[in-house]
Amino acid sequence: MNAVTHHMGMGRLQITQNWVGPVWSLVGIGQVIASALNPIELAICVGQIEEVTPAAVADFTRSVDQFSKSLRRAGFIGVKGGSTAVAALVSERVHPAALPAVRNKPMSFGSVVVPAVVDLGQRQLHIATNTPMIGMAVWGGVRDQARTYLPEPRAVFG
């Protein structure tokens, strides 16, 4: 978590800790597009749990979607801007069935959430790589944000 905090600080994100659903999380907030016409917010939410399961991935991703929607601001003509987020769970134990659950799915209108799992036991980072049709222009950019703020465990721990 210290490495993630460091990367968030280097990226000039506002760093807080907050409940995101039932998980106490490290949260970094910034902007992808700082335009008054259509602002797009970025939230990097990282929660450490006992074991990552398929249900935990799905639940945390939904919770991050709800959280990121709360960050959306009105644009120039009164239309709400968008939000992008990374929903990362960190654990020493990752259930084998959890990794196939790390998939991008359209969540709600105006938001894109990319799930990720940081497997400390195997020292691997898993970021969803599929690209849904809805919002396809944005998914790659959010995946890049995930790689920026979530360091590979092997790079941190050797």
Side-chain angles (χ1 to χ4, degrees):
M1 294 299 259
N2 289 338
V4 175
T5 303
H6 174 74
H7 284 265
M8 287 180 179
M10 295 298 288
R12 300 190 187 277
L13 298 183
Q14 291 179 313
I15 303 168
T16 63
Q17 289 187 321
N18 205 339
W19 288 103
V20 179
V23 180
W24 184 248
S25 303
L26 176 66
V27 178
I29 299 172
Q31 290 185 323
V32 176
I33 298 176
S35 160
L37 183 60
N38 189 20
I40 298 179
E41 307 297 327
L42 168 68
I44 307 293
C45 301
V46 184
Q48 191 159 7
I49 61 175
E50 190 73 26
E51 180 180 20
V52 177
T53 63
V57 171
D59 293 344
F60 191 61
T61 303
R62 274 192 297 277
S63 295
V64 170
D65 180 50
Q66 292 298 315
F67 178 81
S68 71
K69 284 192 324 186
S70 72
L71 301 174
R72 292 172 56 193
R73 295 179 295 125
F76 181 68
I77 54 176
V79 177
K80 279 218 169 185
S83 64
T84 61
V86 174
L89 288 172
V90 178
S91 182
E92 291 278 341
R93 294 189 346 233
V94 176
H95 191 280
L99 297 181
V102 180
R103 297 189 45 78
N104 292 317
K105 295 177 207 133
M107 298 303 277
S108 57
F109 181 76
S111 70
V112 170
V113 180
V114 171
V117 169
V118 180
D119 183 346
L120 298 177
Q122 297 297 314
R123 295 187 178 186
Q124 294 180 333
L125 172 62
H126 304 276
I127 300 171
T129 58
N130 65 307
T131 304
M133 286 298 290
I134 297 173
M136 67 185 294
V138 180
W139 292 101
V142 182
R143 275 193 299 269
D144 290 344
Q145 296 291 340
R147 286 186 195 96
T148 298
Y149 295 110
L150 300 173
E152 283 281 348
R154 289 181 184 151
V156 175
F157 299 114

